[in-house]
Amino acid sequence: MSALLRLEGVRAAYGHADVLVDVSLTVEEGRIVCLLGANGAGKTTLIRCVLGLTLLRGGRIFYADHEITHLPTHRRVALGIGCIPEGRRVFPKLTVEENLLAGAYQERSWTRIREQLERVYTVFPRLAERRGQLAGTLSGGEQAMLSIGRGLMRRPRLLLVDEPSLGLSPLLVRENFRVLEEIHGSGVTIFLVEQNVRQTLRIAHYGYVLAGGRLVASGTPEVLRADPALQAAYFGSATA
Amino acid sequence: MVDAALLAQHAVNALMLGIMYALVAVGFTLFFGVLDVIKFSHGDVLTVGAFTGLTVWLALVAVDLATPWLAVALLVLVPALATALLGALIGRFVVLPLKGAPPLNVLLATLMCGTILREAIRLFYPGGANPKPFPALLPTTAYQLGNLNLRLDSVLLFLTGVAIVVALHLVINRTRLGLAIRAVAQDAEIARVMGIDHVRTVLITFAIGSALAAVAGIMHGLYYNEINFSMGLLLGVIGFSSAVVGGLGNVYGAILGGFLFAFLQTLGAMAMPFASAYRDVFAFAVVIAIMAVRPTGLIAERGVERA
Ligand SMILES: Nc1ncnc2c1ncn2[C@@H]1O[C@H](COP(=O)(O)OP(=O)(O)OP(=O)(O)O)[C@@H](O)[C@H]1O
Ligand SMILES: [Mg+2]
C-alpha cells in the first residue's frame, strides 16, 4: 500500500498560539483513516492545513508523490482532494443543485456532471426532491446530506471529512456512517475527523489521536481501543 | 400643478439617470460581494472610461474613420476593456495585497488610488482641467408620443443599459463564472475548497464591475455631451449610496437603488425647480432616512448577524 497523504513535522499556529506541533502522519490509499481528539485538539486545523486554508509554520505535506505544501487550495482540489467541511458550510443562497454544481466546479464535462448529480440524488433522494430549494432553508440533516453530496461531485481520490455527524440525531448519525462506508466502497480514500469514537473505530482501518496539537497515539482500531491515551484524550468520556 | 409633458420629460430623465447609477452601483455591490471591500476608486475608473472614449473618438476623427456606428461600437468596447484591465490591476496590486487589513485601509487606499487617477487626467490629459465636449453620436430624431417628446438617442441609451443589466443577470445566474462569483460572495473559503480559483474570480469580478462603470461614463457623455475630470466623484458617491440603500452585496438591490436615487433626484428637482442643486441634497437626505429605517438596505443580502 502506498501513502496517498503524508504530513511531515507539520506546525501550525494562530497568532502566537501553537495549535499543531510536529505532526507527522500517513493516510494509505484505499483506507478509512480517522483522527480523534477532544474539542480544541487541532483536528480542524490539521484538515485546513491539508487544504491550504491555514498556512504551515513548518513541515511539509505530500499528496500522491507531489509536495503540496505551498499549492493554493484550488490546485490541491485539482489533484483530487475533496472535503466535507466542519459545520456543513453549504452555500445558503444557492439552490441545492447549484451547491452540487459548485462541488463539480472543476469538472468540465457536462455528461460527467450529470452522471454525478444522478449518483448523489440516488444516494440522497431527499436532495433530488429539493433541488430547486435554497440550501439555507434546508433542515440540519438535509444540509449534512448536501454537504456530503457536494463533496462527492468532483469524485475525489481523497476525501477529508470533518465531523459530519455533529448535531445530528442518532438515526442520521448511523445513516452518515453507512454513507461514508459506501463512499469508501466506491474507491475513495477517507480521512475522517470524528468525536463519535465508537462508531468511527468500527469503520476505520487506522487512527491517530491528537491532544493539545500533538499526536499522542496511533494504530489500528483494536490497538486504539485499548490505548489509555485515547481515554485520556477524551478525559475518560470515550466508551470505546 | 406640473403639466403632463413636463412630468413625462422628468420621468424619461429619471430613467436615463437611473440606468447609469444602476451600472455604477452594481460595480460597488459586486466588489463588496466577492471581497467585502468598498472600492472607492470606482467613480474615477468611470472617468477614465469616459476619457478613453473621448480619446477613441478623437483618434477616429484623426484617421477619418468616424462613421457614427463604428464610433459608437468602439466608444463602448475600448473604454470597457481599458477599465476592465484598470479595475483588475487595482484589485491585484492595491486591494488584494491588503487582504486581512482593516476594511478602512482598503477604503483609504482605493480612495487615494481614485485621487491619483483623477488628478492624472486633470494634469496630463490635454486640456484635462476643463470640461470636454463629448460627441453626440446617436441619432437625435425626436418622436412625439402624445405629450411626450422622446428622443431616439435616449431610447437607445436606455435600452443598451437595460440589455447590459440583463446580460449581467444571465452571467451571474446561468454561467459557471456566475456560480463562482456567487459562491465566493457567500463563503470564500468553501468556494476555494470547491476548487474555485479565488484570485481569478475576484479579479474577473473587478474587471466586470469596472467595465460597467466605463459604460455608465460613456452613456453620461453621450447624454450630456460633456465630460470632465471630476465627473466620477459625484457619480461614484451616488453609485455607492445606491448600492448601500439597495442592500450592499445584492445586485438587484443596487439596480433598484440606482433608479430610486434617480427618481428622488428628479422629485427634488421638480419640487424645487428654482434651485436644481438641491435635488442632490434632497435625494441624499431621503437615502439617509431610508438607511435609518432599514440599515441593511432595501434587499438585505446577509443575515441579521452581519447587520
Ligand atoms: N481562527 C482561529 N484563530 C485563533 N485560534 C483558533 C482559530 N481557529 C482555531 N483556533 C484555536 O486552535 C485550537 C484548535 O482548534 P481546532 O478547530 O483545530 O480544534 P478541533 O480539534 O477541530 O476542535 P473541535 O472538535 O471543537 O472541532 C483551539 O484552541 C482553537 O481555539
Ligand atoms: Mg473541529
Side-chain angles (χ1 to χ4, degrees):
Chain A
M1 279 218 165
S2 64
L4 184 55
L5 178 70
R6 191 153 52 85
L7 275 65
E8 265 181 19
V10 165
R11 269 174 27 79
Y14 294 109
H16 291 296
D18 279 344
V19 177
L20 293 176
V21 183
D22 194 28
V23 173
S24 299
L25 60 76
T26 303
V27 176
E28 306 274 331
E29 174 124 50
R31 290 192 164 178
I32 299 180
V33 174
C34 67
L35 181 65
L36 304 169
N39 293 118
K43 306 180 298 294
T44 299
T45 305
L46 193 145
I47 299 257
R48 293 175 57 87
C49 287
V50 175
L51 285 167
L53 296 175
T54 296
L55 295 182
L56 303 195
R57 293 281 172 94
R60 292 150 44 118
I61 303 180
F62 298 88
Y63 170 84
D65 299 332
H66 301 270
E67 172 160 10
I68 60 169
T69 317
H70 302 292
L71 280 192
T73 304
H74 67 274
R75 302 259 317 270
R76 304 185 193 209
V77 174
L79 291 173
I81 301 181
C83 177
I84 300 169
E86 178 175 53
R88 336 242 190 274
R89 305 272 289 266
V90 298
F91 298 109
K93 296 202 168 177
L94 299 186
T95 63
V96 167
E97 186 143 309
E98 284 171 338
N99 265 276
L100 294 175
L101 292 176
Y105 185 74
Q106 291 189 347
E107 179 59 72
R108 290 300 193 137
S109 142
W110 257 108
T111 350
R112 227 168 304 155
I113 292 176
R114 247 181 244 118
E115 268 171 36
Q116 280 303 101
L117 269 181
E118 284 319 306
R119 244 188 80 190
V120 170
Y121 286 149
T122 315
V123 181
F124 301 112
R126 184 78 70 86
L127 294 183
E129 289 164 27
R130 312 201 165 241
R131 59 176 82 193
Q133 188 173 327
L134 291 186
T137 65
L138 295 176
S139 75
E142 289 163 346
Q143 292 193 6
M145 294 176 201
L146 180 55
S147 182
I148 296 173
R150 186 180 63 178
L152 293 178
M153 284 298 293
R154 248 292 277 185
R155 295 205 284 181
R157 189 166 158 200
L158 170 67
L159 188 60
L160 311 170
V161 189
D162 195 349
E163 303 211 40
S165 46
L166 194 70
L168 296 185
S169 71
L171 187 72
L172 284 178
V173 172
R174 265 203 302 282
E175 171 67 11
N176 252 342
F177 276 96
R178 192 187 59 71
V179 169
L180 284 181
E181 284 196 278
E182 220 173 278
I183 294 168
H184 172 253
S186 71
V188 181
T189 305
I190 295 182
F191 186 54
L192 174 63
V193 168
E194 256 296 345
Q195 296 268 14
N196 224 308
V197 181
R198 207 172 355 163
Q199 299 194 60
T200 305
L201 288 180
R202 199 173 295 147
I203 67 165
H205 302 106
Y206 200 84
Y208 292 92
V209 181
L210 202 58
R214 295 166 196 273
L215 285 181
V216 292
S218 65
T220 60
E222 296 72 43
V223 172
L224 286 180
R225 279 194 197 98
D227 194 321
L230 180 63
Q231 318 291 329
Y234 285 92
F235 305 104
S237 68
T239 46
Chain B
M1 188 61 221
V2 186
D3 77 282
L6 190 61
L7 196 66
Q9 221 56 58
H10 274 303
V12 169
N13 193 47
L15 285 174
M16 292 304 301
L17 289 174
I19 194 75
M20 288 178 221
Y21 298 163
L23 289 173
V24 183
V26 161
F28 277 106
T29 226
L30 283 175
F31 307 150
F32 185 80
V34 290
L35 220 51
D36 282 14
V37 297
I38 312 294
K39 187 163 164 269
F40 257 121
S41 49
H42 195 47
D44 300 297
V45 168
L46 178 152
T47 312
V48 171
F51 275 83
T52 309
L54 181 62
T55 312
V56 169
W57 166 253
L58 295 175
L60 285 174
V61 171
V63 297
D64 229 1
L65 266 174
T67 60
W69 291 114
L70 174 73
V72 169
L74 289 181
L75 242 65
V76 175
L77 280 181
V78 176
L81 289 175
T83 57
L85 185 65
L86 178 62
L89 286 175
I90 294 175
R92 174 69 186 77
F93 294 106
V94 180
V95 181
L96 281 179
L98 288 172
K99 197 164 65 177
L104 208 55
N105 294 18
V106 179
L107 202 147
L108 273 178
T110 54
L111 199 65
M112 290 186 255
C113 211
T115 308
I116 292 171
L117 292 176
R118 193 165 59 245
E119 292 305 319
I121 291 173
R122 169 155 71 175
L123 293 173
F124 302 122
Y125 198 91
N130 303 317
K132 305 293 248 178
F134 203 86
L137 294 172
L138 295 169
T140 52
T141 326
Y143 301 95
Q144 197 66 37
L145 304 171
N147 278 324
L148 179 61
N149 183 286
L150 204 54
R151 272 172 47 175
L152 187 55
D153 54 351
S154 304
V155 176
L156 289 173
L157 282 176
F158 184 73
L159 291 182
T160 308
V162 171
I164 287 171
V165 167
V166 171
L168 181 74
H169 163 83
L170 292 176
V171 166
I172 287 186
N173 288 299
R174 298 285 158 80
T175 67
R176 193 166 167 272
L177 171 66
L179 185 66
I181 292 175
R182 286 183 295 152
V184 169
Q186 289 176 38
D187 191 332
E189 210 168 74
I190 294 302
R192 286 162 67 192
V193 172
M194 296 300 115
I196 293 166
D197 184 340
H198 184 255
V199 171
R200 184 167 169 271
T201 308
V202 165
L203 293 186
I204 291 178
T205 308
F206 275 33
I208 293 176
S210 304
L212 296 182
V215 174
I218 298 294
M219 284 175 76
H220 205 263
L222 289 172
Y223 190 59
Y224 290 110
N225 300 125
E226 185 181 290
I227 60 175
N228 66 69
F229 73 94
S230 67
M231 66 189 287
L233 265 183
L234 186 60
L235 280 168
V237 175
I238 289 176
F240 176 57
S241 312
S242 305
V244 170
V245 79
L248 208 48
N250 186 296
V251 171
Y252 308 103
I255 295 165
L256 188 68
F259 281 102
L260 176 71
F261 198 95
F263 276 96
L264 288 175
Q265 268 185 332
T266 309
L267 211 61
M270 284 164 65
M272 298 169 279
F274 43 86
S276 67
Y278 282 116
R279 64 181 203 159
D280 293 340
V281 178
F282 173 73
F284 281 117
V286 175
V287 163
I288 290 169
I290 294 176
M291 292 315 301
V293 181
R294 286 192 64 99
T296 52
L298 297 174
I299 308 179
E301 180 59 19
R302 319 279 169 120
V304 267
E305 77 272 15
R306 290 285 303 267

